mmCIF file of all heavy atoms in Angstrom:
data_model
loop_
_atom_site.group_PDB
_atom_site.id
_atom_site.type_symbol
_atom_site.label_atom_id
_atom_site.label_comp_id
_atom_site.label_asym_id
_atom_site.label_seq_id
_atom_site.Cartn_x
_atom_site.Cartn_y
_atom_site.Cartn_z
ATOM 1 N N GLY N 18 13.064 59.109 0.743
ATOM 2 C CA GLY N 18 14.063 58.456 1.563
ATOM 3 C C GLY N 18 15.481 58.981 1.230
ATOM 4 O O GLY N 18 15.702 59.752 0.365
ATOM 5 N N ARG N 19 16.430 58.514 2.085
ATOM 6 C CA ARG N 19 17.826 58.947 1.899
ATOM 7 C C ARG N 19 18.379 58.539 0.566
ATOM 8 O O ARG N 19 19.172 59.227 -0.044
ATOM 9 C CB ARG N 19 18.722 58.337 3.005
ATOM 10 C CG ARG N 19 18.492 59.006 4.359
ATOM 11 C CD ARG N 19 19.487 58.461 5.325
ATOM 12 N NE ARG N 19 19.006 58.674 6.642
ATOM 13 C CZ ARG N 19 19.570 58.242 7.743
ATOM 14 N NH1 ARG N 19 20.690 57.642 7.610
ATOM 15 N NH2 ARG N 19 19.066 58.511 8.938
ATOM 16 N N GLY N 20 17.920 57.379 0.074
ATOM 17 C CA GLY N 20 18.436 56.961 -1.166
ATOM 18 C C GLY N 20 18.120 57.927 -2.351
ATOM 19 O O GLY N 20 18.903 58.103 -3.230
ATOM 20 N N TYR N 21 16.888 58.552 -2.262
ATOM 21 C CA TYR N 21 16.584 59.518 -3.271
ATOM 22 C C TYR N 21 17.551 60.697 -3.248
ATOM 23 O O TYR N 21 18.033 61.134 -4.284
ATOM 24 C CB TYR N 21 15.181 60.041 -3.047
ATOM 25 C CG TYR N 21 14.763 61.283 -3.831
ATOM 26 C CD1 TYR N 21 14.450 61.112 -5.185
ATOM 27 C CD2 TYR N 21 14.855 62.517 -3.297
ATOM 28 C CE1 TYR N 21 14.143 62.246 -5.942
ATOM 29 C CE2 TYR N 21 14.554 63.628 -4.049
ATOM 30 C CZ TYR N 21 14.180 63.526 -5.405
ATOM 31 O OH TYR N 21 13.937 64.582 -6.125
ATOM 32 N N TYR N 22 17.824 61.197 -2.118
ATOM 33 C CA TYR N 22 18.714 62.380 -1.980
ATOM 34 C C TYR N 22 20.181 61.986 -2.323
ATOM 35 O O TYR N 22 20.900 62.758 -2.961
ATOM 36 C CB TYR N 22 18.661 62.972 -0.530
ATOM 37 C CG TYR N 22 17.351 63.585 -0.286
ATOM 38 C CD1 TYR N 22 16.429 62.998 0.628
ATOM 39 C CD2 TYR N 22 16.911 64.710 -0.944
ATOM 40 C CE1 TYR N 22 15.241 63.554 0.896
ATOM 41 C CE2 TYR N 22 15.718 65.306 -0.678
ATOM 42 C CZ TYR N 22 14.822 64.708 0.217
ATOM 43 O OH TYR N 22 13.639 65.263 0.452
ATOM 44 N N SER N 23 20.529 60.811 -2.018
ATOM 45 C CA SER N 23 21.881 60.283 -2.403
ATOM 46 C C SER N 23 21.922 60.211 -3.932
ATOM 47 O O SER N 23 22.987 60.586 -4.474
ATOM 48 C CB SER N 23 22.086 58.929 -1.739
ATOM 49 O OG SER N 23 23.311 58.420 -2.222
ATOM 50 N N ASP N 24 20.926 59.705 -4.611
ATOM 51 C CA ASP N 24 20.878 59.685 -6.032
ATOM 52 C C ASP N 24 20.996 61.032 -6.684
ATOM 53 O O ASP N 24 21.685 61.277 -7.664
ATOM 54 C CB ASP N 24 19.674 58.943 -6.536
ATOM 55 C CG ASP N 24 19.686 57.460 -6.184
ATOM 56 O OD1 ASP N 24 20.807 56.876 -5.856
ATOM 57 O OD2 ASP N 24 18.610 56.828 -6.316
ATOM 58 N N VAL N 25 20.224 62.000 -6.129
ATOM 59 C CA VAL N 25 20.212 63.344 -6.636
ATOM 60 C C VAL N 25 21.571 64.004 -6.462
ATOM 61 O O VAL N 25 22.101 64.527 -7.440
ATOM 62 C CB VAL N 25 19.101 64.177 -5.954
ATOM 63 C CG1 VAL N 25 19.293 65.694 -6.274
ATOM 64 C CG2 VAL N 25 17.710 63.776 -6.336
ATOM 65 N N LEU N 26 22.182 63.790 -5.314
ATOM 66 C CA LEU N 26 23.546 64.337 -5.122
ATOM 67 C C LEU N 26 24.539 63.648 -6.042
ATOM 68 O O LEU N 26 25.412 64.330 -6.608
ATOM 69 C CB LEU N 26 23.986 64.092 -3.646
ATOM 70 C CG LEU N 26 25.359 64.568 -3.291
ATOM 71 C CD1 LEU N 26 25.503 66.078 -3.504
ATOM 72 C CD2 LEU N 26 25.700 64.221 -1.797
ATOM 73 N N GLY N 27 24.432 62.373 -6.253
ATOM 74 C CA GLY N 27 25.323 61.633 -7.119
ATOM 75 C C GLY N 27 25.222 62.148 -8.519
ATOM 76 O O GLY N 27 26.196 62.377 -9.248
ATOM 77 N N ASP N 28 23.961 62.348 -9.046
ATOM 78 C CA ASP N 28 23.718 62.924 -10.361
ATOM 79 C C ASP N 28 24.280 64.319 -10.508
ATOM 80 O O ASP N 28 24.883 64.643 -11.464
ATOM 81 C CB ASP N 28 22.204 62.962 -10.667
ATOM 82 C CG ASP N 28 21.579 61.505 -10.814
ATOM 83 O OD1 ASP N 28 22.359 60.596 -11.001
ATOM 84 O OD2 ASP N 28 20.379 61.462 -10.775
ATOM 85 N N PHE N 29 24.157 65.153 -9.445
ATOM 86 C CA PHE N 29 24.610 66.496 -9.486
ATOM 87 C C PHE N 29 26.228 66.433 -9.562
ATOM 88 O O PHE N 29 26.763 67.142 -10.391
ATOM 89 C CB PHE N 29 24.218 67.248 -8.171
ATOM 90 C CG PHE N 29 24.868 68.585 -8.008
ATOM 91 C CD1 PHE N 29 24.494 69.644 -8.846
ATOM 92 C CD2 PHE N 29 25.920 68.791 -7.083
ATOM 93 C CE1 PHE N 29 25.076 70.904 -8.680
ATOM 94 C CE2 PHE N 29 26.486 69.998 -6.916
ATOM 95 C CZ PHE N 29 26.127 71.084 -7.750
ATOM 96 N N LEU N 30 26.842 65.623 -8.737
ATOM 97 C CA LEU N 30 28.250 65.506 -8.823
ATOM 98 C C LEU N 30 28.778 64.992 -10.109
ATOM 99 O O LEU N 30 29.802 65.435 -10.619
ATOM 100 C CB LEU N 30 28.846 64.648 -7.618
ATOM 101 C CG LEU N 30 28.669 65.311 -6.282
ATOM 102 C CD1 LEU N 30 29.075 64.306 -5.162
ATOM 103 C CD2 LEU N 30 29.300 66.636 -6.116
ATOM 104 N N ASP N 31 28.100 64.025 -10.686
ATOM 105 C CA ASP N 31 28.471 63.531 -12.037
ATOM 106 C C ASP N 31 28.359 64.663 -13.076
ATOM 107 O O ASP N 31 29.264 64.778 -13.945
ATOM 108 C CB ASP N 31 27.515 62.405 -12.557
ATOM 109 C CG ASP N 31 27.836 61.113 -11.700
ATOM 110 O OD1 ASP N 31 28.901 61.011 -11.064
ATOM 111 O OD2 ASP N 31 26.929 60.210 -11.745
ATOM 112 N N SER N 32 27.368 65.484 -13.005
ATOM 113 C CA SER N 32 27.202 66.655 -13.863
ATOM 114 C C SER N 32 28.357 67.605 -13.718
ATOM 115 O O SER N 32 28.930 68.134 -14.710
ATOM 116 C CB SER N 32 25.898 67.346 -13.637
ATOM 117 O OG SER N 32 24.792 66.509 -13.976
ATOM 118 N N ILE N 33 28.749 67.862 -12.495
ATOM 119 C CA ILE N 33 29.872 68.819 -12.216
ATOM 120 C C ILE N 33 31.140 68.216 -12.778
ATOM 121 O O ILE N 33 31.926 68.923 -13.407
ATOM 122 C CB ILE N 33 29.945 69.113 -10.692
ATOM 123 C CG1 ILE N 33 28.719 69.852 -10.186
ATOM 124 C CG2 ILE N 33 31.200 69.820 -10.371
ATOM 125 C CD1 ILE N 33 28.560 71.238 -10.794
ATOM 126 N N ARG N 34 31.366 66.948 -12.574
ATOM 127 C CA ARG N 34 32.624 66.277 -13.124
ATOM 128 C C ARG N 34 32.638 66.448 -14.611
ATOM 129 O O ARG N 34 33.731 66.676 -15.167
ATOM 130 C CB ARG N 34 32.651 64.847 -12.652
ATOM 131 C CG ARG N 34 33.045 64.622 -11.238
ATOM 132 C CD ARG N 34 33.186 63.158 -10.934
ATOM 133 N NE ARG N 34 33.152 62.925 -9.495
ATOM 134 C CZ ARG N 34 32.044 62.423 -8.840
ATOM 135 N NH1 ARG N 34 30.977 62.094 -9.449
ATOM 136 N NH2 ARG N 34 32.119 62.329 -7.551
ATOM 137 N N LYS N 35 31.529 66.219 -15.276
ATOM 138 C CA LYS N 35 31.458 66.219 -16.715
ATOM 139 C C LYS N 35 31.751 67.677 -17.172
ATOM 140 O O LYS N 35 32.532 67.896 -18.138
ATOM 141 C CB LYS N 35 30.049 65.850 -17.209
ATOM 142 C CG LYS N 35 29.898 65.836 -18.715
ATOM 143 C CD LYS N 35 28.544 65.438 -19.155
ATOM 144 C CE LYS N 35 28.373 65.577 -20.639
ATOM 145 N NZ LYS N 35 27.073 65.340 -21.106
ATOM 146 N N LEU N 36 31.131 68.684 -16.548
ATOM 147 C CA LEU N 36 31.378 70.100 -16.857
ATOM 148 C C LEU N 36 32.885 70.470 -16.654
ATOM 149 O O LEU N 36 33.441 71.116 -17.453
ATOM 150 C CB LEU N 36 30.489 70.995 -16.076
ATOM 151 C CG LEU N 36 29.025 71.033 -16.435
ATOM 152 C CD1 LEU N 36 28.185 71.822 -15.381
ATOM 153 C CD2 LEU N 36 28.834 71.600 -17.854
ATOM 154 N N GLU N 37 33.425 69.974 -15.582
ATOM 155 C CA GLU N 37 34.837 70.268 -15.260
ATOM 156 C C GLU N 37 35.735 69.622 -16.326
ATOM 157 O O GLU N 37 36.647 70.254 -16.818
ATOM 158 C CB GLU N 37 35.274 69.733 -13.942
ATOM 159 C CG GLU N 37 36.591 70.041 -13.472
ATOM 160 C CD GLU N 37 36.968 69.535 -12.096
ATOM 161 O OE1 GLU N 37 36.438 68.444 -11.692
ATOM 162 O OE2 GLU N 37 37.739 70.194 -11.471
ATOM 163 N N SER N 38 35.414 68.373 -16.774
ATOM 164 C CA SER N 38 36.182 67.742 -17.758
ATOM 165 C C SER N 38 36.154 68.484 -19.087
ATOM 166 O O SER N 38 37.110 68.679 -19.807
ATOM 167 C CB SER N 38 35.682 66.284 -17.884
ATOM 168 O OG SER N 38 36.358 65.640 -18.975
ATOM 169 N N GLU N 39 34.911 68.891 -19.413
ATOM 170 C CA GLU N 39 34.668 69.608 -20.768
ATOM 171 C C GLU N 39 35.482 71.003 -20.707
ATOM 172 O O GLU N 39 36.053 71.330 -21.688
ATOM 173 C CB GLU N 39 33.220 69.874 -20.958
ATOM 174 C CG GLU N 39 32.466 68.606 -21.305
ATOM 175 C CD GLU N 39 30.932 68.760 -21.362
ATOM 176 O OE1 GLU N 39 30.473 69.903 -21.158
ATOM 177 O OE2 GLU N 39 30.263 67.802 -21.727
ATOM 178 N N TYR N 40 35.338 71.632 -19.527
ATOM 179 C CA TYR N 40 36.132 72.887 -19.425
ATOM 180 C C TYR N 40 37.591 72.734 -19.543
ATOM 181 O O TYR N 40 38.205 73.488 -20.321
ATOM 182 C CB TYR N 40 35.732 73.553 -18.022
ATOM 183 C CG TYR N 40 36.559 74.767 -17.668
ATOM 184 C CD1 TYR N 40 36.253 75.933 -18.208
ATOM 185 C CD2 TYR N 40 37.669 74.651 -16.898
ATOM 186 C CE1 TYR N 40 36.975 77.076 -17.942
ATOM 187 C CE2 TYR N 40 38.447 75.808 -16.580
ATOM 188 C CZ TYR N 40 38.054 76.933 -17.106
ATOM 189 O OH TYR N 40 38.805 78.078 -16.805
ATOM 190 N N MET N 41 38.118 71.771 -18.885
ATOM 191 C CA MET N 41 39.602 71.497 -18.972
ATOM 192 C C MET N 41 39.976 71.190 -20.413
ATOM 193 O O MET N 41 41.038 71.597 -20.863
ATOM 194 C CB MET N 41 40.005 70.385 -18.018
ATOM 195 C CG MET N 41 39.738 70.757 -16.520
ATOM 196 S SD MET N 41 40.626 72.220 -15.981
ATOM 197 C CE MET N 41 42.275 71.623 -15.933
ATOM 198 N N SER N 42 39.134 70.391 -21.105
ATOM 199 C CA SER N 42 39.392 70.058 -22.507
ATOM 200 C C SER N 42 39.466 71.275 -23.380
ATOM 201 O O SER N 42 40.426 71.445 -24.202
ATOM 202 C CB SER N 42 38.377 69.071 -22.967
ATOM 203 O OG SER N 42 38.613 68.790 -24.349
ATOM 204 N N VAL N 43 38.581 72.139 -23.186
ATOM 205 C CA VAL N 43 38.515 73.405 -23.990
ATOM 206 C C VAL N 43 39.717 74.244 -23.668
ATOM 207 O O VAL N 43 40.374 74.819 -24.547
ATOM 208 C CB VAL N 43 37.200 74.176 -23.740
ATOM 209 C CG1 VAL N 43 37.259 75.601 -24.329
ATOM 210 C CG2 VAL N 43 36.030 73.402 -24.297
ATOM 211 N N MET N 44 40.043 74.341 -22.399
ATOM 212 C CA MET N 44 41.210 75.106 -22.012
ATOM 213 C C MET N 44 42.514 74.553 -22.617
ATOM 214 O O MET N 44 43.413 75.300 -23.009
ATOM 215 C CB MET N 44 41.338 75.248 -20.452
ATOM 216 C CG MET N 44 40.229 76.094 -19.789
ATOM 217 S SD MET N 44 40.284 77.845 -20.270
ATOM 218 C CE MET N 44 38.853 77.916 -21.392
ATOM 219 N N ARG N 45 42.654 73.260 -22.586
ATOM 220 C CA ARG N 45 43.879 72.631 -23.239
ATOM 221 C C ARG N 45 43.934 72.885 -24.742
ATOM 222 O O ARG N 45 44.893 73.224 -25.272
ATOM 223 C CB ARG N 45 43.852 71.099 -22.947
ATOM 224 C CG ARG N 45 44.388 70.778 -21.586
ATOM 225 C CD ARG N 45 44.678 69.227 -21.444
ATOM 226 N NE ARG N 45 43.432 68.428 -21.589
ATOM 227 C CZ ARG N 45 42.603 68.249 -20.577
ATOM 228 N NH1 ARG N 45 42.813 68.732 -19.433
ATOM 229 N NH2 ARG N 45 41.502 67.494 -20.785
ATOM 230 N N GLU N 46 42.769 72.845 -25.384
ATOM 231 C CA GLU N 46 42.635 73.166 -26.802
ATOM 232 C C GLU N 46 43.005 74.648 -27.095
ATOM 233 O O GLU N 46 43.757 74.937 -27.965
ATOM 234 C CB GLU N 46 41.292 72.895 -27.365
ATOM 235 C CG GLU N 46 40.932 71.463 -27.504
ATOM 236 C CD GLU N 46 39.491 71.196 -27.952
ATOM 237 O OE1 GLU N 46 38.848 72.144 -28.445
ATOM 238 O OE2 GLU N 46 39.013 70.081 -27.807
ATOM 239 N N ARG N 47 42.520 75.507 -26.232
ATOM 240 C CA ARG N 47 42.729 76.976 -26.431
ATOM 241 C C ARG N 47 44.108 77.318 -26.129
ATOM 242 O O ARG N 47 44.702 78.157 -26.897
ATOM 243 C CB ARG N 47 41.720 77.734 -25.530
ATOM 244 C CG ARG N 47 41.876 79.232 -25.701
ATOM 245 C CD ARG N 47 40.870 79.986 -24.888
ATOM 246 N NE ARG N 47 39.602 79.799 -25.619
ATOM 247 C CZ ARG N 47 38.458 80.236 -25.131
ATOM 248 N NH1 ARG N 47 38.426 80.900 -23.916
ATOM 249 N NH2 ARG N 47 37.289 80.051 -25.731
ATOM 250 N N TYR N 48 44.692 76.873 -25.012
ATOM 251 C CA TYR N 48 46.026 77.336 -24.576
ATOM 252 C C TYR N 48 47.103 76.309 -24.813
ATOM 253 O O TYR N 48 48.241 76.570 -24.567
ATOM 254 C CB TYR N 48 45.910 77.694 -23.114
ATOM 255 C CG TYR N 48 45.055 78.832 -22.831
ATOM 256 C CD1 TYR N 48 43.830 78.670 -22.208
ATOM 257 C CD2 TYR N 48 45.301 80.084 -23.313
ATOM 258 C CE1 TYR N 48 42.965 79.690 -21.973
ATOM 259 C CE2 TYR N 48 44.422 81.130 -23.068
ATOM 260 C CZ TYR N 48 43.270 80.949 -22.436
ATOM 261 O OH TYR N 48 42.418 81.990 -22.218
ATOM 262 N N GLY N 49 46.785 75.168 -25.285
ATOM 263 C CA GLY N 49 47.788 74.134 -25.568
ATOM 264 C C GLY N 49 48.235 73.443 -24.284
ATOM 265 O O GLY N 49 48.046 73.963 -23.163
#
Side-chain angles (χ1 to χ4, degrees):
R19 287 186 201 177
Y21 169 78
Y22 293 110
S23 178
D24 291 346
V25 169
L26 178 59
D28 292 345
F29 173 74
L30 292 176
D31 289 343
S32 296
I33 295 296
R34 285 185 198 103
K35 181 180 176 189
L36 287 172
E37 183 179 34
S38 176
E39 290 172 359
Y40 172 80
M41 296 301 287
S42 178
V43 168
M44 290 297 106
R45 280 191 295 277
E46 288 175 15
R47 181 175 288 174
Y48 298 110

